[in-house]
Amino acid sequence: MGQETIYFGRFVSAPTPDELLIRTGAVLVDSKNGKGVITKADWTIDGPNGAVSKFGVEAPVVMPKDNGFFFPGFIDTHIHASQYPNVGIFGKSTLLDWLTTYTFPLESSFGNVNSPMYKDSIEPPDPLARAKKVYNRLINRTLAHGTTTASYYATIHVEATNLLAEIAFKKGQRAYIGRVCMDRPETCPDYYRDESTEQTMANTKASIDYCRSLDPSGELLAHIITPRFAPSCLPETLTQLGALAKEEDLRVQTHISENLNEVKLVKELFPEQKSYADVYDHHGLLTPKTILAHAVHLSKEEMRLVKERKVKVSHCPASNSALGSGFCPVRELLDEGIEVGLGTDVSGGYSTSILDAVRNACMVSRHVGFLNEGDSRYNLGVAEALWLGTMGGAKVVGMEGRLGGFAEGMLWDVQEINLGDVDVRGQGGDTDVDIFGWENWEERVAKWVWNGDERNVRRVWIGGKLVHERR
Amino acid sequence: MGQETIYFGRFVSAPTPDELLIRTGAVLVDSKNGKGVITKADWTIDGPNGAVSKFGVEAPVVMPKDNGFFFPGFIDTHIHASQYPNVGIFGKSTLLDWLTTYTFPLESSFGNVNSPMYKDSIEPPDPLARAKKVYNRLINRTLAHGTTTASYYATIHVEATNLLAEIAFKKGQRAYIGRVCMDRPETCPDYYRDESTEQTMANTKASIDYCRSLDPSGELLAHIITPRFAPSCLPETLTQLGALAKEEDLRVQTHISENLNEVKLVKELFPEQKSYADVYDHHGLLTPKTILAHAVHLSKEEMRLVKERKVKVSHCPASNSALGSGFCPVRELLDEGIEVGLGTDVSGGYSTSILDAVRNACMVSRHVGFLNEGDSRYNLGVAEALWLGTMGGAKVVGMEGRLGGFAEGMLWDVQEINLGDVDVRGQGGDTDVDIFGWENWEERVAKWVWNGDERNVRRVWIGGKLVHERR
């Protein structure tokens, strides 16, 4: 491939919460120095040849199929890569028992041969082989689902975390990799925790160094400081992690107010702080580069603090429903001026797909509306939920203006969507989205949102580079 | 194929709400007189040859793949076949405006050339061609999703309704076909209603006759009396439909208490009855063969009436969430002793898949639990939700003991499920269910429930006949 590519056809995006923008046109993408930036965009061009002459370049033209369109890549602002094998395995648990029953055993198996998960294993434990299999598959799956950027939690293990970084980097996904920090003995199992603040910091630095060795620019791959959540870290660790994030100018991710018992636990463990948000603030972890997952049960005061510190929120609706955590008041967060994106929260969430998160965000918002006397103001529509999954996500990961749309200067992190046709005998494409022919384009996009899956994702590019193609 | 077939391998079913039964064994299915009944079942047989000798017949042996199993076909107790093209198209509407904005225009286009849906159409209106295309596709899709029995709403049009009956019958699906009755001028649009009680009754009888002409036994295909819902029918029509159902010993289906404004409307339209349920009771429509869809907002008293009349309930969680209707108190209904099955409620529900309804039933139940101080007693687990989608559905459609399991005497209405493997490079099957190899079978079933779709349905049989095979 040369340095430039023209993409011509239908482009769909959600530049604002209220607007589904559906246009035909062309963009020119420049892949010099490997960045893949949109250098020109023109919404008057009505054919591939027109694009070539309008842009004045002899570049190859890439087009979606007739029933297809380009859509910004999804941004998953909260996903536990190591938990992927557990998707769907949560029984009737809620957060705190879910962690000890399902999550810690699995995560520990990525680095500890004495993990409870190996207890009944016939084959000898091989943590790194397991990590390799899981991470390879997970990155393949998220790419297939159109996730071009993801903020990952790995495990506490440096080697396995570095492996995740390497796999994501090789496959070309834009990824923030978090080595999980957890070292408070009262709340972490013996078989799965850092030994001390010193070890936590040393291992975190080792992982930061490794990510920088792969991508010194931090453009495609960067470490993200990851205290699991307040209860799992020694107070001194929280303080040092906050300082490190500041020193190294790194993103931070953690959890907040997902579950009422968790909120209670934080109150008990940090009696001196006046709220859960205040615990993080006290330790210097509320920064404009911080992603807080969940935020289901924040008080008004906490929301204001989050807003004031320009902290971002990852809304994980599938997880909140599956674990019975509650109803995230997304409209209130947005009204407060807080920046919100979507997260799959695998495996609290059962799906690796942000399109599924888009659906669940819509569904949960209707529940919130119902609980507020049917006030439809709480409703997230298709456009707004897609906006959360793209533009919202871009803000959350600090890539506002660079990801989530098709404006000049933005990165070509894009998925090509294809929808199915139906003939009179009832035959159609091998997807769950059936287009009968009379639907307008807004309706077609809605049909994709509600029944689409990775079969509708034909190709995925990140930084102008093709990273996934369906069969 | 001969008259008998042996099915050998892993069988999964949910015979009770608390139990996921996972067994290896074999069953013998007799297809004499076209019924496809399980005549023998043996859970000690450990190989295909063992099955042949144990059963003492020279019959072909059908087996799932290593990662596969037989599972009872799903029963969709509430689905509007005609609304299939609208799946996912509902914007921010709730029930009553959804009907007038999206639903009546589409349904009317199956028989009325002046339907609003044809207003901007370039091609000349051809209602039956449309019905043929939609119904062929819809039956193909529901079969692909493993739905072996469905209770369908068509439209008010006799010809198009008969076409649905014919297509379902030819494709071999067990189907109850309802011509929709709606004739109350204040609530039904001029372009889409029966003219009078007389016309409603005559058209209903025409559709009953047609179904009987196709399947005199009513085993595979039967008409189901279908007053749309109380507000859309003249009181006299409700009375006559009740009498007809009794006279002809037919199933009845309608809607109840889906949405709070609907409940209010019923109160206004039927001031003399003391509740929504009482309206139906008053008109003789609450029978042991009646399926009430939704039942989200029933009072305790109504629940008791429903129980007393042995009426069944179709729980449609996806629809209730998508249209912001509320939270169906499934646990209360079950505790009351009411029989409950699952419905997709296409296109209030966005999906044709009962597996999706299983998921949504689990999710909504967790919301109900959260709203009841986190009481996990409200939770529907995977087993119970699968039970609702199979055994529960069998009770709802009056086929208890004949559908939903693998006991001797039951019909071979079964789907063969196949799950995907993952190799170390992250390659795997082309589905969204990834089995890593260390999961036990209960966990594998959970993974299927949460991320499965029609790609996991390899073959489907109804009454012993193969009706769907994946490529």
PDB file of all heavy atoms in Angstrom, chain B residues 209-238:
ATOM      1  N   ASP B 209     -60.790 -21.628   9.802  1.00  0.00           N
ATOM      2  CA  ASP B 209     -61.054 -22.666   8.800  1.00  0.00           C
ATOM      3  C   ASP B 209     -59.807 -22.980   7.987  1.00  0.00           C
ATOM      4  O   ASP B 209     -59.511 -24.140   7.703  1.00  0.00           O
ATOM      5  CB  ASP B 209     -62.175 -22.206   7.845  1.00  0.00           C
ATOM      6  CG  ASP B 209     -63.533 -22.167   8.547  1.00  0.00           C
ATOM      7  OD1 ASP B 209     -63.640 -22.743   9.655  1.00  0.00           O
ATOM      8  OD2 ASP B 209     -64.466 -21.545   8.003  1.00  0.00           O
ATOM      9  N   TYR B 210     -59.088 -21.930   7.619  1.00  0.00           N
ATOM     10  CA  TYR B 210     -57.913 -22.158   6.784  1.00  0.00           C
ATOM     11  C   TYR B 210     -56.860 -22.969   7.538  1.00  0.00           C
ATOM     12  O   TYR B 210     -56.273 -23.906   6.992  1.00  0.00           O
ATOM     13  CB  TYR B 210     -57.322 -20.829   6.310  1.00  0.00           C
ATOM     14  CG  TYR B 210     -56.199 -21.053   5.331  1.00  0.00           C
ATOM     15  CD1 TYR B 210     -56.467 -21.419   4.010  1.00  0.00           C
ATOM     16  CD2 TYR B 210     -54.866 -20.948   5.731  1.00  0.00           C
ATOM     17  CE1 TYR B 210     -55.436 -21.658   3.110  1.00  0.00           C
ATOM     18  CE2 TYR B 210     -53.828 -21.182   4.840  1.00  0.00           C
ATOM     19  CZ  TYR B 210     -54.121 -21.531   3.541  1.00  0.00           C
ATOM     20  OH  TYR B 210     -53.099 -21.777   2.651  1.00  0.00           O
ATOM     21  N   CYS B 211     -56.635 -22.623   8.785  1.00  0.00           N
ATOM     22  CA  CYS B 211     -55.655 -23.381   9.587  1.00  0.00           C
ATOM     23  C   CYS B 211     -56.083 -24.842   9.694  1.00  0.00           C
ATOM     24  O   CYS B 211     -55.262 -25.759   9.576  1.00  0.00           O
ATOM     25  CB  CYS B 211     -55.504 -22.766  10.983  1.00  0.00           C
ATOM     26  SG  CYS B 211     -54.625 -21.181  10.972  1.00  0.00           S
ATOM     27  N   ARG B 212     -57.372 -25.058   9.878  1.00  0.00           N
ATOM     28  CA  ARG B 212     -57.851 -26.450  10.003  1.00  0.00           C
ATOM     29  C   ARG B 212     -57.703 -27.204   8.691  1.00  0.00           C
ATOM     30  O   ARG B 212     -57.486 -28.419   8.684  1.00  0.00           O
ATOM     31  CB  ARG B 212     -59.309 -26.443  10.454  1.00  0.00           C
ATOM     32  CG  ARG B 212     -59.441 -26.025  11.919  1.00  0.00           C
ATOM     33  CD  ARG B 212     -60.620 -26.702  12.590  1.00  0.00           C
ATOM     34  NE  ARG B 212     -60.623 -26.368  14.017  1.00  0.00           N
ATOM     35  CZ  ARG B 212     -61.604 -25.719  14.629  1.00  0.00           C
ATOM     36  NH1 ARG B 212     -62.700 -25.349  13.958  1.00  0.00           N
ATOM     37  NH2 ARG B 212     -61.523 -25.464  15.914  1.00  0.00           N
ATOM     38  N   SER B 213     -57.835 -26.472   7.580  1.00  0.00           N
ATOM     39  CA  SER B 213     -57.688 -27.151   6.288  1.00  0.00           C
ATOM     40  C   SER B 213     -56.247 -27.621   6.097  1.00  0.00           C
ATOM     41  O   SER B 213     -55.996 -28.642   5.466  1.00  0.00           O
ATOM     42  CB  SER B 213     -58.110 -26.227   5.130  1.00  0.00           C
ATOM     43  OG  SER B 213     -57.118 -25.233   4.889  1.00  0.00           O
ATOM     44  N   LEU B 214     -55.299 -26.881   6.654  1.00  0.00           N
ATOM     45  CA  LEU B 214     -53.905 -27.299   6.539  1.00  0.00           C
ATOM     46  C   LEU B 214     -53.586 -28.419   7.520  1.00  0.00           C
ATOM     47  O   LEU B 214     -52.909 -29.377   7.176  1.00  0.00           O
ATOM     48  CB  LEU B 214     -52.970 -26.109   6.815  1.00  0.00           C
ATOM     49  CG  LEU B 214     -52.944 -24.978   5.789  1.00  0.00           C
ATOM     50  CD1 LEU B 214     -52.043 -23.848   6.270  1.00  0.00           C
ATOM     51  CD2 LEU B 214     -52.463 -25.480   4.427  1.00  0.00           C
ATOM     52  N   ASP B 215     -54.019 -28.279   8.752  1.00  0.00           N
ATOM     53  CA  ASP B 215     -53.704 -29.267   9.785  1.00  0.00           C
ATOM     54  C   ASP B 215     -54.943 -29.563  10.611  1.00  0.00           C
ATOM     55  O   ASP B 215     -55.169 -28.939  11.659  1.00  0.00           O
ATOM     56  CB  ASP B 215     -52.577 -28.759  10.691  1.00  0.00           C
ATOM     57  CG  ASP B 215     -52.165 -29.809  11.725  1.00  0.00           C
ATOM     58  OD1 ASP B 215     -52.715 -30.940  11.682  1.00  0.00           O
ATOM     59  OD2 ASP B 215     -51.315 -29.504  12.576  1.00  0.00           O
ATOM     60  N   PRO B 216     -55.752 -30.508  10.162  1.00  0.00           N
ATOM     61  CA  PRO B 216     -57.003 -30.824  10.877  1.00  0.00           C
ATOM     62  C   PRO B 216     -56.753 -31.224  12.333  1.00  0.00           C
ATOM     63  O   PRO B 216     -57.602 -30.980  13.195  1.00  0.00           O
ATOM     64  CB  PRO B 216     -57.582 -31.995  10.082  1.00  0.00           C
ATOM     65  CG  PRO B 216     -56.945 -31.915   8.733  1.00  0.00           C
ATOM     66  CD  PRO B 216     -55.586 -31.337   8.954  1.00  0.00           C
ATOM     67  N   SER B 217     -55.570 -31.793  12.616  1.00  0.00           N
ATOM     68  CA  SER B 217     -55.305 -32.236  13.993  1.00  0.00           C
ATOM     69  C   SER B 217     -55.012 -31.070  14.928  1.00  0.00           C
ATOM     70  O   SER B 217     -55.142 -31.191  16.137  1.00  0.00           O
ATOM     71  CB  SER B 217     -54.108 -33.182  14.002  1.00  0.00           C
ATOM     72  OG  SER B 217     -52.899 -32.437  13.817  1.00  0.00           O
ATOM     73  N   GLY B 218     -54.567 -29.959  14.372  1.00  0.00           N
ATOM     74  CA  GLY B 218     -54.156 -28.844  15.229  1.00  0.00           C
ATOM     75  C   GLY B 218     -52.871 -29.104  15.993  1.00  0.00           C
ATOM     76  O   GLY B 218     -52.479 -28.332  16.862  1.00  0.00           O
ATOM     77  N   GLU B 219     -52.218 -30.197  15.686  1.00  0.00           N
ATOM     78  CA  GLU B 219     -50.983 -30.606  16.380  1.00  0.00           C
ATOM     79  C   GLU B 219     -49.827 -29.661  16.060  1.00  0.00           C
ATOM     80  O   GLU B 219     -49.112 -29.203  16.936  1.00  0.00           O
ATOM     81  CB  GLU B 219     -50.561 -31.954  15.820  1.00  0.00           C
ATOM     82  CG  GLU B 219     -50.568 -33.221  16.615  1.00  0.00           C
ATOM     83  CD  GLU B 219     -50.086 -33.226  18.029  1.00  0.00           C
ATOM     84  OE1 GLU B 219     -50.932 -32.931  18.886  1.00  0.00           O
ATOM     85  OE2 GLU B 219     -48.936 -33.586  18.303  1.00  0.00           O
ATOM     86  N   LEU B 220     -49.652 -29.424  14.757  1.00  0.00           N
ATOM     87  CA  LEU B 220     -48.520 -28.616  14.322  1.00  0.00           C
ATOM     88  C   LEU B 220     -48.944 -27.165  14.093  1.00  0.00           C
ATOM     89  O   LEU B 220     -48.197 -26.235  14.338  1.00  0.00           O
ATOM     90  CB  LEU B 220     -47.927 -29.196  13.031  1.00  0.00           C
ATOM     91  CG  LEU B 220     -46.530 -28.705  12.660  1.00  0.00           C
ATOM     92  CD1 LEU B 220     -45.494 -29.150  13.695  1.00  0.00           C
ATOM     93  CD2 LEU B 220     -46.125 -29.209  11.269  1.00  0.00           C
ATOM     94  N   LEU B 221     -50.165 -27.012  13.618  1.00  0.00           N
ATOM     95  CA  LEU B 221     -50.652 -25.673  13.272  1.00  0.00           C
ATOM     96  C   LEU B 221     -52.068 -25.503  13.794  1.00  0.00           C
ATOM     97  O   LEU B 221     -52.918 -26.381  13.588  1.00  0.00           O
ATOM     98  CB  LEU B 221     -50.658 -25.507  11.747  1.00  0.00           C
ATOM     99  CG  LEU B 221     -51.189 -24.159  11.249  1.00  0.00           C
ATOM    100  CD1 LEU B 221     -50.116 -23.092  11.349  1.00  0.00           C
ATOM    101  CD2 LEU B 221     -51.688 -24.272   9.808  1.00  0.00           C
ATOM    102  N   ALA B 222     -52.314 -24.375  14.455  1.00  0.00           N
ATOM    103  CA  ALA B 222     -53.681 -24.105  14.912  1.00  0.00           C
ATOM    104  C   ALA B 222     -53.904 -22.597  14.957  1.00  0.00           C
ATOM    105  O   ALA B 222     -52.963 -21.823  15.164  1.00  0.00           O
ATOM    106  CB  ALA B 222     -53.907 -24.709  16.298  1.00  0.00           C
ATOM    107  N   HIS B 223     -55.131 -22.218  14.767  1.00  0.00           N
ATOM    108  CA  HIS B 223     -55.468 -20.817  14.938  1.00  0.00           C
ATOM    109  C   HIS B 223     -55.523 -20.503  16.433  1.00  0.00           C
ATOM    110  O   HIS B 223     -55.853 -21.360  17.246  1.00  0.00           O
ATOM    111  CB  HIS B 223     -56.819 -20.508  14.295  1.00  0.00           C
ATOM    112  CG  HIS B 223     -57.113 -19.035  14.279  1.00  0.00           C
ATOM    113  ND1 HIS B 223     -56.700 -18.206  13.268  1.00  0.00           N
ATOM    114  CD2 HIS B 223     -57.744 -18.239  15.176  1.00  0.00           C
ATOM    115  CE1 HIS B 223     -57.068 -16.959  13.539  1.00  0.00           C
ATOM    116  NE2 HIS B 223     -57.711 -16.961  14.694  1.00  0.00           N
ATOM    117  N   ILE B 224     -55.187 -19.269  16.776  1.00  0.00           N
ATOM    118  CA  ILE B 224     -55.337 -18.808  18.150  1.00  0.00           C
ATOM    119  C   ILE B 224     -56.123 -17.493  18.112  1.00  0.00           C
ATOM    120  O   ILE B 224     -55.777 -16.575  17.355  1.00  0.00           O
ATOM    121  CB  ILE B 224     -53.948 -18.673  18.852  1.00  0.00           C
ATOM    122  CG1 ILE B 224     -54.095 -18.160  20.278  1.00  0.00           C
ATOM    123  CG2 ILE B 224     -52.981 -17.812  18.056  1.00  0.00           C
ATOM    124  CD1 ILE B 224     -52.828 -18.349  21.133  1.00  0.00           C
ATOM    125  N   ILE B 225     -57.195 -17.465  18.879  1.00  0.00           N
ATOM    126  CA  ILE B 225     -58.066 -16.274  18.911  1.00  0.00           C
ATOM    127  C   ILE B 225     -57.275 -15.092  19.481  1.00  0.00           C
ATOM    128  O   ILE B 225     -56.685 -15.214  20.566  1.00  0.00           O
ATOM    129  CB  ILE B 225     -59.299 -16.535  19.811  1.00  0.00           C
ATOM    130  CG1 ILE B 225     -60.073 -17.771  19.331  1.00  0.00           C
ATOM    131  CG2 ILE B 225     -60.167 -15.295  19.936  1.00  0.00           C
ATOM    132  CD1 ILE B 225     -61.040 -17.532  18.223  1.00  0.00           C
ATOM    133  N   THR B 226     -57.295 -13.956  18.777  1.00  0.00           N
ATOM    134  CA  THR B 226     -56.353 -12.888  19.090  1.00  0.00           C
ATOM    135  C   THR B 226     -56.978 -11.491  19.112  1.00  0.00           C
ATOM    136  O   THR B 226     -56.806 -10.704  18.186  1.00  0.00           O
ATOM    137  CB  THR B 226     -55.175 -12.931  18.071  1.00  0.00           C
ATOM    138  OG1 THR B 226     -54.603 -14.249  18.070  1.00  0.00           O
ATOM    139  CG2 THR B 226     -54.100 -11.919  18.416  1.00  0.00           C
ATOM    140  N   PRO B 227     -57.727 -11.184  20.156  1.00  0.00           N
ATOM    141  CA  PRO B 227     -58.086  -9.772  20.332  1.00  0.00           C
ATOM    142  C   PRO B 227     -56.794  -9.009  20.628  1.00  0.00           C
ATOM    143  O   PRO B 227     -56.053  -9.411  21.523  1.00  0.00           O
ATOM    144  CB  PRO B 227     -59.003  -9.775  21.557  1.00  0.00           C
ATOM    145  CG  PRO B 227     -58.765 -11.073  22.253  1.00  0.00           C
ATOM    146  CD  PRO B 227     -58.223 -12.037  21.250  1.00  0.00           C
ATOM    147  N   ARG B 228     -56.504  -7.952  19.873  1.00  0.00           N
ATOM    148  CA  ARG B 228     -55.197  -7.291  20.046  1.00  0.00           C
ATOM    149  C   ARG B 228     -54.960  -6.989  21.512  1.00  0.00           C
ATOM    150  O   ARG B 228     -54.036  -7.523  22.109  1.00  0.00           O
ATOM    151  CB  ARG B 228     -55.137  -6.003  19.226  1.00  0.00           C
ATOM    152  CG  ARG B 228     -53.797  -5.335  19.359  1.00  0.00           C
ATOM    153  CD  ARG B 228     -53.543  -4.173  18.454  1.00  0.00           C
ATOM    154  NE  ARG B 228     -52.110  -4.162  18.226  1.00  0.00           N
ATOM    155  CZ  ARG B 228     -51.515  -4.454  17.086  1.00  0.00           C
ATOM    156  NH1 ARG B 228     -52.209  -4.704  16.000  1.00  0.00           N
ATOM    157  NH2 ARG B 228     -50.207  -4.489  16.997  1.00  0.00           N
ATOM    158  N   PHE B 229     -55.761  -6.121  22.077  1.00  0.00           N
ATOM    159  CA  PHE B 229     -55.829  -5.938  23.530  1.00  0.00           C
ATOM    160  C   PHE B 229     -57.148  -5.246  23.816  1.00  0.00           C
ATOM    161  O   PHE B 229     -57.803  -4.745  22.893  1.00  0.00           O
ATOM    162  CB  PHE B 229     -54.594  -5.251  24.124  1.00  0.00           C
ATOM    163  CG  PHE B 229     -54.312  -3.823  23.748  1.00  0.00           C
ATOM    164  CD1 PHE B 229     -53.593  -2.992  24.624  1.00  0.00           C
ATOM    165  CD2 PHE B 229     -54.724  -3.289  22.532  1.00  0.00           C
ATOM    166  CE1 PHE B 229     -53.299  -1.682  24.295  1.00  0.00           C
ATOM    167  CE2 PHE B 229     -54.429  -1.971  22.198  1.00  0.00           C
ATOM    168  CZ  PHE B 229     -53.721  -1.171  23.082  1.00  0.00           C
ATOM    169  N   ALA B 230     -57.547  -5.242  25.064  1.00  0.00           N
ATOM    170  CA  ALA B 230     -58.891  -4.770  25.402  1.00  0.00           C
ATOM    171  C   ALA B 230     -59.244  -3.435  24.748  1.00  0.00           C
ATOM    172  O   ALA B 230     -60.332  -3.295  24.179  1.00  0.00           O
ATOM    173  CB  ALA B 230     -59.062  -4.698  26.922  1.00  0.00           C
ATOM    174  N   PRO B 231     -58.344  -2.436  24.792  1.00  0.00           N
ATOM    175  CA  PRO B 231     -58.743  -1.125  24.265  1.00  0.00           C
ATOM    176  C   PRO B 231     -59.076  -1.138  22.780  1.00  0.00           C
ATOM    177  O   PRO B 231     -59.814  -0.266  22.319  1.00  0.00           O
ATOM    178  CB  PRO B 231     -57.504  -0.251  24.499  1.00  0.00           C
ATOM    179  CG  PRO B 231     -56.733  -0.924  25.560  1.00  0.00           C
ATOM    180  CD  PRO B 231     -57.011  -2.380  25.418  1.00  0.00           C
ATOM    181  N   SER B 232     -58.563  -2.079  22.026  1.00  0.00           N
ATOM    182  CA  SER B 232     -58.751  -2.023  20.572  1.00  0.00           C
ATOM    183  C   SER B 232     -59.986  -2.773  20.096  1.00  0.00           C
ATOM    184  O   SER B 232     -60.277  -2.769  18.902  1.00  0.00           O
ATOM    185  CB  SER B 232     -57.507  -2.558  19.854  1.00  0.00           C
ATOM    186  OG  SER B 232     -57.338  -3.911  20.144  1.00  0.00           O
ATOM    187  N   CYS B 233     -60.728  -3.400  21.024  1.00  0.00           N
ATOM    188  CA  CYS B 233     -61.894  -4.178  20.602  1.00  0.00           C
ATOM    189  C   CYS B 233     -63.191  -3.617  21.195  1.00  0.00           C
ATOM    190  O   CYS B 233     -63.234  -3.214  22.363  1.00  0.00           O
ATOM    191  CB  CYS B 233     -61.749  -5.638  21.036  1.00  0.00           C
ATOM    192  SG  CYS B 233     -60.445  -6.512  20.158  1.00  0.00           S
ATOM    193  N   LEU B 234     -64.232  -3.630  20.370  1.00  0.00           N
ATOM    194  CA  LEU B 234     -65.571  -3.313  20.874  1.00  0.00           C
ATOM    195  C   LEU B 234     -65.939  -4.336  21.939  1.00  0.00           C
ATOM    196  O   LEU B 234     -65.613  -5.520  21.798  1.00  0.00           O
ATOM    197  CB  LEU B 234     -66.578  -3.371  19.724  1.00  0.00           C
ATOM    198  CG  LEU B 234     -66.394  -2.314  18.621  1.00  0.00           C
ATOM    199  CD1 LEU B 234     -67.134  -2.728  17.345  1.00  0.00           C
ATOM    200  CD2 LEU B 234     -66.865  -0.950  19.119  1.00  0.00           C
ATOM    201  N   PRO B 235     -66.625  -3.913  22.990  1.00  0.00           N
ATOM    202  CA  PRO B 235     -67.003  -4.868  24.044  1.00  0.00           C
ATOM    203  C   PRO B 235     -67.749  -6.080  23.481  1.00  0.00           C
ATOM    204  O   PRO B 235     -67.492  -7.220  23.869  1.00  0.00           O
ATOM    205  CB  PRO B 235     -67.880  -4.030  24.972  1.00  0.00           C
ATOM    206  CG  PRO B 235     -67.392  -2.626  24.795  1.00  0.00           C
ATOM    207  CD  PRO B 235     -66.972  -2.520  23.356  1.00  0.00           C
ATOM    208  N   GLU B 236     -68.645  -5.835  22.545  1.00  0.00           N
ATOM    209  CA  GLU B 236     -69.393  -6.936  21.945  1.00  0.00           C
ATOM    210  C   GLU B 236     -68.457  -7.920  21.241  1.00  0.00           C
ATOM    211  O   GLU B 236     -68.663  -9.137  21.268  1.00  0.00           O
ATOM    212  CB  GLU B 236     -70.433  -6.379  20.953  1.00  0.00           C
ATOM    213  CG  GLU B 236     -71.205  -7.405  20.163  1.00  0.00           C
ATOM    214  CD  GLU B 236     -72.004  -8.386  21.042  1.00  0.00           C
ATOM    215  OE1 GLU B 236     -72.255  -8.068  22.213  1.00  0.00           O
ATOM    216  OE2 GLU B 236     -72.342  -9.492  20.546  1.00  0.00           O
ATOM    217  N   THR B 237     -67.418  -7.379  20.623  1.00  0.00           N
ATOM    218  CA  THR B 237     -66.441  -8.245  19.953  1.00  0.00           C
ATOM    219  C   THR B 237     -65.731  -9.135  20.968  1.00  0.00           C
ATOM    220  O   THR B 237     -65.554 -10.337  20.754  1.00  0.00           O
ATOM    221  CB  THR B 237     -65.416  -7.383  19.192  1.00  0.00           C
ATOM    222  OG1 THR B 237     -66.118  -6.615  18.214  1.00  0.00           O
ATOM    223  CG2 THR B 237     -64.363  -8.233  18.508  1.00  0.00           C
ATOM    224  N   LEU B 238     -65.319  -8.538  22.085  1.00  0.00           N
ATOM    225  CA  LEU B 238     -64.646  -9.317  23.130  1.00  0.00           C
ATOM    226  C   LEU B 238     -65.539 -10.469  23.583  1.00  0.00           C
ATOM    227  O   LEU B 238     -65.098 -11.610  23.720  1.00  0.00           O
ATOM    228  CB  LEU B 238     -64.275  -8.425  24.316  1.00  0.00           C
ATOM    229  CG  LEU B 238     -63.177  -7.381  24.065  1.00  0.00           C
ATOM    230  CD1 LEU B 238     -63.009  -6.468  25.278  1.00  0.00           C
ATOM    231  CD2 LEU B 238     -61.841  -8.042  23.715  1.00  0.00           C
TER     232      LEU B 238
END
